[in-house]
Amino acid sequence: MNNLSKTELEIMRCIWSFNRPVCNRDILEVMNSKYNKQWKIQTLSTYLQKLVLKNYIKPNGEKLVRGNNYHYVPVISAEEYRRSQVYELVNDWDSDIVYDFVSAFSKDKSLSKEDMEELKKLIDGLD
């Protein structure tokens, strides 16, 4: 799976949040408001084309005549992307990475009790 730039990931988060085919104008509105971009539609279209080429999104149906809008759907779910990133992280480092990863969260107390219980269940399920 191709890596995403920070901006591409922001666009993907935007697309995933809609849970439906989304037009480029709706994406542009969210990117400009939520992510404080000051983009024109051409800038977004460039990023969307890159995401199509990377096979993260695909156009959904035909181009809409009115407003010159396309609708896009994700090819890869947010969960699939997260899993691939974690898998890549673990494989790129040595065998201690899993310990380091869990240890980092537990030392600064950023894991809730519920999160810790879920981790314990996952670890117990490995046996």
Side-chain angles (χ1 to χ4, degrees):
M1 186 176 294
N2 293 321
N3 287 328
L4 295 176
S5 69
K6 180 183 177 195
T7 301
E8 290 169 336
L9 181 55
E10 290 171 344
I11 294 168
M12 286 305 301
R13 285 183 175 141
C14 174
I15 293 170
W16 288 321
S17 73
F18 278 92
N19 292 315
R20 63 172 171 76
V22 59
C23 75
N24 52 2
R25 299 259 178 215
D26 289 340
I27 298 168
L28 182 66
E29 184 178 315
V30 172
M31 293 303 295
N32 284 344
S33 62
K34 183 176 180 180
Y35 294 101
N36 299 314
K37 306 292 184 187
Q38 295 179 348
W39 289 351
K40 295 187 186 312
I41 197 70
Q42 295 86 350
T43 303
L44 176 63
S45 295
T46 300
Y47 280 108
L48 292 172
Q49 186 58 35
K50 287 179 182 180
L51 289 168
V52 168
L53 291 173
K54 288 182 173 185
N55 205 32
Y56 277 89
I57 61 172
K58 66 180 180 180
N60 185 43
E62 296 297 318
K63 179 174 156 179
L64 299 175
V65 176
R66 187 173 28 154
N68 208 21
N69 293 327
Y70 286 94
H71 280 85
Y72 294 92
V73 292
V75 173
I76 295 167
S77 71
E79 182 178 328
E80 289 171 314
Y81 181 74
R82 280 192 305 268
R83 284 180 191 251
S84 74
Q85 293 303 294
V86 170
Y87 182 78
E88 189 175 310
L89 175 71
V90 169
N91 284 328
D92 285 349
W93 291 89
D94 59 33
S95 60
D96 292 337
I97 188 68
V98 175
Y99 173 81
D100 293 341
F101 186 77
V102 174
S103 177
F105 286 108
S106 63
K107 285 182 181 172
D108 69 6
K109 308 288 188 223
S110 62
L111 284 177
S112 68
K113 287 189 179 200
E114 292 83 17
D115 290 337
M116 285 189 269
E117 286 300 317
E118 285 297 316
L119 274 173
K120 286 178 188 176
K121 286 179 190 176
L122 285 171
I123 292 168
D124 289 344
L126 295 174
D127 292 339

